[in-house]
Amino acid sequence: MAADEIIHQSVRLRIMAALNSLERREMLEFSRLKAIVSATDGNLGAHIDTLARAGYIDVEKLFVGRRPQTRIKATSVGRRAFRGHVAFLRKILDEAEQPDKRGQRRTRQRPL
């Protein structure tokens, strides 16, 4: 099991976490996602492009009245990739918390 390098970046991880909390067909508006992940328009747009190119999200652009609206949702591929990445992270955390064979917690050795 390995890290998903696309999702691993912190803003993209937060985007995928937010989208995975929704129902499968539910979409999140760009402005709401921007507030959730605390990103600028340009930064969020760049990360959305990366996730869309990977097939992890679908982006819908439409007009409501005369105003543009961008909505985003996680794809099945994206949801599966997110679950795999979360499993990878959990494994790292579990291994860090497991005692070694002598019953002591593993600690990082500091150089002398």
Side-chain angles (χ1 to χ4, degrees):
M1 184 179 313
D4 185 306
E5 293 301 326
I6 293 169
I7 294 176
H8 191 68
Q9 197 282 338
S10 65
V11 174
R12 291 193 293 264
L13 179 60
R14 290 192 307 249
I15 291 168
M16 292 304 294
L19 296 176
N20 274 274
S21 70
L22 304 173
E23 297 293 325
R24 289 206 175 272
R25 290 190 168 92
E26 195 175 354
M27 300 185 96
L28 201 54
E29 291 183 25
F30 184 91
S31 58
R32 180 71 183 123
L33 185 58
K34 177 182 157 185
I36 290 170
V37 301
S38 301
T40 63
D41 287 353
N43 189 268
L44 181 58
H47 289 298
I48 285 172
D49 287 345
T50 298
L51 291 166
R53 280 194 310 271
Y56 289 0
I57 62 172
D58 282 334
V59 179
E60 176 182 270
K61 295 185 181 223
L62 48 102
F63 281 87
V64 176
R66 291 184 174 184
R67 301 192 73 153
Q69 185 180 69
T70 301
R71 300 185 328 165
I72 303 104
K73 73 174 183 173
T75 63
S76 296
V77 170
R79 287 178 181 274
R80 197 167 30 257
F82 180 75
R83 283 192 309 270
H85 190 69
V86 168
F88 167 78
L89 294 173
R90 280 197 178 119
K91 183 177 181 213
I92 290 172
L93 295 172
D94 289 346
E95 288 174 356
E97 292 177 351
Q98 289 180 1
D100 66 12
K101 292 179 183 177
R102 294 180 302 244
Q104 298 173 350
R105 287 183 64 130
R106 293 180 188 178
T107 58
R108 186 173 153 197
Q109 296 289 325
R110 293 186 180 186
L112 296 174

